[in-house]
């Protein structure tokens, strides 16, 4: 082996050893490898480019410009749209309903749903789309996310093994055409029998043994600080017993006047939480909203005060106990007075709270007592918390205010927002359809993300917050390692050495060996690169022993989907690290058994469907 090959091995092994020992974060290790490779290339060695070409040191950061990075960032934005509109919550509700209290069934359902999506779309896209639903299901069932997110990743990989529309599978089909002599390429359904058998076996394995093998990691500090849902906040502030629906009667004095002009809050201490105007839905009222005949008002206040509104032509009745503001789609948040707040001693009226911040305060909690009437007249003191409702953008705008600490409600009980859901689902399906039709995935999902931004379904600030930058930098760093393995010939040396060992075992040995070799290389260089490295060698070995080259190509391609050992084996694994709070070894514990099981299923499939 050459000096460059040994250097690549050291650059790969030492940081990974520190990761395994929990001395180094995975994303930092990946970037460290990229820096070392770039530095040695700059010094004249040929690690990521020809020797004595220091300008090729720029390849160390070329991973940041790869299509997979653009795809990943775009998918983060699309999935934020699905999450914000309530689509992912709806999916989670259906899966939880089907699984009941059986955690094994919950694991299998998430793996199965992701596998099904992977039959028609990019593996990374499938995993990214299901991830928010898995997080919501974890919250609803009390299951730790670490029990569900590896199954989501593995499900996308298992589904990818059973379809032609996986990048590595397409590469292997193309390699058959340029073999010597040229061979027939693979058809759309050639992967389905063998890959489908592997997917079924893999999902059954996760169902039966996943709960015992998957890590039970405590969520990260940010996830531990679980936010209450809007309904839970309403229960905490005891809003339900003071919530009323008021109907404006014909000839009511308030008709034609703005909310500020009616002085309902000032004269009676009653808060107008929302206005329902047919045929539209609920809207959060501003002080300048002019009331119309037949408007319905959601009111918060004591019964004796609300009943006095009948004099103004507003007939009120209590809201059913099962109903809530949050379930009606209104956005709630808690405001807690910050230390040294200038609001201390002020009232909401003197602060002109509604007009200045665009929010409605419907309750104030002081110690163990909740005030829901005349809230605007109470002088604020340290330790007070306010329950407010208003547009999400207004709530977020307050987060930069030093006088209050803003805690947004968890949106888990919010209904599906029909307009946003229709746009997001339609754009997402269009992006998927375009990629199936041949448009590059990175371009189709980027176009979808841009459309969501242009339609203002997602704000730009939300888009930046939605991106998991740890995954982006981990992928970018590992790309340089893959490039070095190919450039130095290390991958080719490993490939030829491995296939030389299995060739004496005949056709099934070549196919099985190709799978194992590709699966091994995939853990460190990704399936697309591994296919280009091992594919030509495997096809050549198949022709030399008289084996069916299409069968060996299928086995090699499926090995590219066996990215179970390490988190950096596939971007979909990397995507799960932060929300699952995973460590490097968590993937190996279940991954090596799943890889072995898939190998046995592969041999059975090759014997059954390819007659090897």
């Amino acid at each position: 082996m050459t000096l460059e090959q040994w250097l690549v091995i050291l650059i790969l092994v030492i940081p990974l050893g520190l990761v395994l020992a929990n001395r180094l974060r995975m994303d930092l290790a990946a970037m460290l490898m990229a820096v070392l490779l770039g530095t040695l290339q700059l010094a004249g060695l040929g690690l990521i480019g020809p020797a004595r070409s220091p300008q090729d040191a720029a390849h160390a950061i070329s991973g940041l410009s790869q299509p997979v990075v653009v795809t990943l960032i775009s998918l983060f934005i699309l999935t934020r749209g699905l999450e914000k509109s309530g689509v992912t919550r709806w999916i989670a509700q259906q899966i939880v309903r089907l699984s009941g209290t059986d955690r094994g069934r919950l694991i299998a359902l998430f793996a199965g749903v992701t596998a099904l999506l992977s039959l028609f779309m990019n593996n990374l896209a499938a995993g990214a789309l299901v991830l928010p639903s898995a997080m919501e299901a974890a919250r609803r069932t009390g299951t730790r996310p670490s029990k569900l997110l590896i199954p989501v990743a593995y499900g996308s990989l298992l589904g990818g093994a059973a379809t032609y529309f996986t990048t590595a599978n397409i590469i292997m089909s193309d390699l058959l055409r340029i073999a010597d002599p040229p061979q027939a390429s693979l058809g759309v359904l050639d992967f389905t029998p063998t890959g489908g058998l592997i997917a079924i076996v893999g999902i059954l394995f996760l169902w039966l043994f996943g709960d015992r093998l998957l890590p039970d990691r405590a969520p990260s500090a940010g996830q531990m600080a679980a936010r209450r849902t809007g309904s839970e906040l309403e229960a905490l502030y005891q809003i339900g017993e003071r919530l009323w629906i008021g109907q404006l009667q014909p000839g009511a004095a308030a008709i034609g006047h703005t909310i500020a002009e009616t002085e309902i809050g000032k004269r009676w201490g009653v808060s107008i939480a929302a206005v329902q105007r047919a045929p539209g839905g609920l809207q959060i009222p501003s002080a300048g909203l002019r009331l119309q005949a037949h408007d319905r008002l959601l009111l918060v206040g004591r019964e004796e005060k609300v009943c006095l509104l009948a004099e103004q032509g507003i007939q009120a009745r209590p809201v059913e106990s099962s109903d809530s503001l949050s379930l009606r789609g209104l956005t709630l948040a808690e405001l807690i007075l910050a230390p040294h707040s200038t609001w201390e001693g002020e009232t909401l009226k003197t602060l002109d709270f509604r007009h200045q911040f665009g929010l409605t305060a419907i309750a104030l909690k002081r110690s163990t007592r909740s005030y829901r009437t005349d809230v605007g007249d109470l002088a604020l003191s340290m330790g007070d918390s306010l329950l407010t409702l208003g547009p999400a953008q207004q709530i977020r705008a307050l987060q930069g205010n030093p006088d209050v600490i803003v805690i947004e409600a968890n949106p888990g009980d919010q209904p599906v927002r029909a307009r946003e859901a229709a746009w997001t689902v339609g754009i997402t399906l269009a992006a998927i359809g375009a990629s199936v039709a041949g448009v590059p995935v990175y371009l189709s999902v980027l176009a979808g993300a841009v459309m969501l931004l242009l339609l203002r379904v997602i704000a730009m600030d939300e888009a930046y917050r939605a991106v998991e930058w740890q995954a982006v930098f981990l992928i970018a760093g590992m790309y340089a390692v893959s490039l070095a393995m190919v450039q130095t010939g290390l991958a080719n040396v490993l490939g030829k050495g491995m296939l030389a060992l299995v060739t004496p075992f005949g056709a099934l040995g070549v196919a099985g060996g190709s799978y194992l070799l590709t699966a091994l290389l995939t853990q460190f260089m990704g399936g697309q690169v591994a296919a280009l490295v091992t594919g030509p060698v495997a096809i050549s070995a198949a022709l030399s022993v008289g084996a069916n080259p299409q069968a060996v190509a299928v086995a090699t391609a499926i090995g590219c989907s066996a990215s179970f050992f390490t988190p950096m084996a596939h971007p979909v694994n990397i995507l799960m690290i932060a929300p699952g709070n995973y460590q490097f070894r968590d993937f190996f514990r279940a991954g090596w058994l799943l890889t072995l099981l898939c190998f046995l299923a592969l041999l059975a499939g090759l014997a059954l469907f390819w007659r090897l």
Side-chain angles (χ1 to χ4, degrees), residues 78-321:
L78 285 173
T79 53
R80 174 62 187 138
L82 292 169
E83 188 176 9
K84 181 180 178 180
S85 63
V87 173
T88 56
R89 293 193 296 275
W90 181 85
I91 294 173
Q93 290 168 7
Q94 306 315 307
I95 292 178
V96 170
R97 182 177 60 82
L98 290 172
S99 66
T101 58
D102 189 326
R103 194 151 65 181
R105 191 183 305 159
L106 183 65
I107 290 169
L109 280 170
F110 271 108
V113 167
T114 320
L116 185 64
L117 289 174
S118 290
L119 293 175
F120 309 103
M121 60 193 296
N122 177 274
N123 292 352
L124 178 61
L129 291 176
V130 178
L131 170 59
S133 297
M135 294 297 291
E136 177 64 20
R139 191 193 69 80
R140 287 177 176 272
T141 61
T143 303
R144 286 182 170 174
S146 60
K147 289 288 186 183
L148 299 181
L149 299 190
I150 283 180
V152 169
Y154 287 177
S156 74
L157 297 169
L158 290 168
T163 178
Y164 179 85
F165 302 108
T166 299
T167 304
N169 297 3
I170 295 171
I171 289 172
M172 288 305 303
S173 180
D174 290 341
L175 289 175
L176 283 167
R177 288 203 299 265
I178 61 174
D180 186 18
Q183 304 295 311
S185 59
L186 293 165
V188 172
L189 298 178
D190 281 344
F191 291 94
T192 304
T194 306
L197 176 63
I198 291 172
I200 292 169
V201 169
I203 292 169
L204 287 174
F205 167 77
L206 291 170
W207 186 356
L208 298 175
F209 303 104
D211 193 24
R212 278 177 280 178
L213 292 173
L214 294 167
D216 192 23
R217 298 218 172 273
S220 63
Q223 293 165 342
M224 286 291 285
R227 295 173 293 158
R228 291 183 173 93
T229 64
S231 299
E232 290 168 344
L233 285 175
E234 291 176 59
L236 181 67
Y237 284 79
Q238 301 171 311
I239 295 297
E241 51 192 66
R242 299 283 175 89
L243 189 60
W244 306 79
I245 293 181
Q247 178 73 56
L248 281 174
Q249 302 300 307
I255 294 175
H257 293 277
T258 66
I259 288 178
E261 291 170 347
T262 64
E263 296 187 329
I264 289 175
K266 181 178 180 179
R267 295 172 60 187
W268 291 282
V270 175
S271 300
I272 300 179
V275 175
Q276 185 171 29
R277 180 165 291 168
L282 290 175
Q283 57 179 298
I284 297 173
S286 64
L289 179 68
R290 198 169 296 277
L291 297 178
Q292 299 177 4
H294 308 297
D295 279 352
R296 302 177 72 194
L297 312 178
L298 271 176
L299 306 169
V300 180
R302 285 204 305 267
E303 182 176 3
E304 62 269 23
K305 296 288 185 79
V306 172
C307 288
L308 292 175
L309 297 178
E311 301 172 5
Q312 305 297 313
I314 301 175
Q315 296 294 329
R317 60 177 177 81
V319 171
E320 295 181 10
S321 58

Side-chain angles (χ1 to χ4, degrees), residues 433-449:
S435 63
V436 171
V439 177
V441 175
Y442 69 88
L443 187 58
S444 65
V445 294
L446 177 60

Side-chain angles (χ1 to χ4, degrees), residues 515-516 519 523 562 564-565 590-600:
Y515 167 86
L516 291 174
Q523 310 311 312
F564 308 127
F565 274 43
W592 78 270
L593 282 171
L594 183 57
T595 302
L596 180 60
L597 193 64
C598 289
F599 174 65
L600 297 175

Side-chain angles (χ1 to χ4, degrees), residues 37-51:
L37 290 169
T39 302
L40 291 173
Q41 181 69 36
L42 190 64
L45 294 172
L47 295 182
I48 51 178

Side-chain angles (χ1 to χ4, degrees), residues 68 118 122-125 127 153 156-157 160 166-168 471 474-475 478 522-528 560-577 587:
V68 66
S118 290
N122 177 274
N123 292 352
L124 178 61
S156 74
L157 297 169
T166 299
T167 304
L474 182 49
I475 292 170
M478 289 308 299
T522 295
Q523 310 311 312
F524 305 103
M525 60 193 309
Q528 298 175 26
C560 296
S561 293
S563 306
F564 308 127
F565 274 43
T566 67
M568 68 271 295
H570 196 282
V572 74
N573 291 354
I574 295 171
L575 184 63
M576 306 300 162
I577 294 172
F587 287 82

